[in-house]
């Protein structure tokens, strides 16, 4: 089992949460293929809307439901890849409130690494974030 951090605007996270899917890296397939059934995903939203940095919070948490990556036609010229995710009820947590407790934020260039759109988290960091979001996971 692996733990993932997807970097997506809150506006887009809420759409995925409502419809039960994950989409990262502007709909690219390769990052989603890394995730497997029963892996966990936490979303970090730099901003409320794409391209903004007015939020900086962990906004959703869920578990990958199967090993199928699929495409969904949003627009005639945009057919992004997605994964089915079962989201849990959680509260939003500002990064600043737990930053000192996370190992990955102590690494050099940690913010730059987040630009990849999907990064693997340690179990320890995952549990720290999940607990702060008032979610109990095994």
């Amino acid at each position: 089992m692996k733990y993932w951090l997807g970097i997506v605007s809150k506006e887009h996270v809420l759409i995925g949460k409502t419809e039960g899917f994950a989409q990262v890296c502007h709909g690219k397939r390769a990052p989603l293929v890394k995730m497997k059934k029963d892996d966990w995903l936490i979303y970090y939203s730099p901003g409320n809307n794409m391209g903004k940095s007015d939020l900086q919070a962990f906004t959703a948490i869920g578990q990958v439901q199967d090993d199928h990556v699929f495409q969904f036609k949003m627009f005639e010229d945009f057919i992004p890849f997605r994964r089915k995710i079962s989201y849990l009820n959680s509260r939003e947590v500002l990064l600043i409130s737990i930053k000192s407790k996370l190992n990955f934020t102590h690494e050099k260039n940690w913010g730059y690494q987040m630009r990849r759109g999907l990064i693997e988290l340690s179990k320890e960091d995952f549990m720290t974030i999940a607990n702060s979001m008032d979610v109990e996971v095994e």
Side-chain angles (χ1 to χ4, degrees):
M1 180 179 308
K2 292 187 177 183
Y3 308 92
W4 300 97
L5 183 68
I7 295 79
V8 176
S9 71
K10 182 178 178 179
E11 175 185 43
H12 290 170
V13 168
L14 295 177
I15 294 168
K17 192 173 177 181
T18 299
E19 297 182 21
F21 70 85
Q23 182 177 309
V24 297
C25 303
H26 305 289
K28 292 182 181 163
R29 182 181 187 274
L32 294 176
V33 171
K34 295 177 184 179
M35 296 191 296
K36 304 296 179 204
K37 184 181 186 302
D38 297 328
D39 282 0
W40 287 95
L41 173 67
I42 292 178
Y43 271 126
Y44 170 77
S45 299
N48 285 294
N49 303 101
M50 194 166 73
K52 303 291 183 186
S53 58
D54 58 346
L55 183 58
Q56 300 177 352
F58 300 100
T59 51
I61 184 170
Q63 194 167 29
V64 179
Q65 292 303 294
D66 58 31
D67 285 318
H68 182 65
V69 176
F70 63 94
Q71 282 187 286
F72 178 82
K73 186 175 184 177
M74 288 184 68
F75 306 107
E76 194 62 38
D77 60 346
F78 185 54
I79 308 171
F81 288 91
R82 295 177 171 180
R83 295 292 301 253
K84 289 183 183 178
I85 304 289
S86 177
Y87 289 98
L88 304 177
N89 290 326
S90 62
R91 72 180 189 93
E92 191 172 288
V93 174
L94 295 176
L95 170 63
I96 194 72
S97 69
I98 61 170
K99 183 179 173 185
S100 64
K101 298 176 185 176
L102 299 171
N103 293 318
F104 85 92
T105 59
H106 295 296
E107 295 176 16
K108 186 177 181 179
N109 298 323
W110 67 270
Y112 185 76
Q113 293 177 33
M114 291 173 73
R115 289 178 176 226
R116 288 186 272 164
L118 183 72
I119 60 172
E120 189 173 346
L121 286 174
S122 67
K123 183 175 183 177
E124 183 180 0
D125 278 352
F126 172 81
M127 295 304 290
T128 298
I129 299 166
N131 289 336
S132 71
M133 295 176 83
D134 292 334
V135 172
E136 289 187 34
V137 295
E138 299 172 10

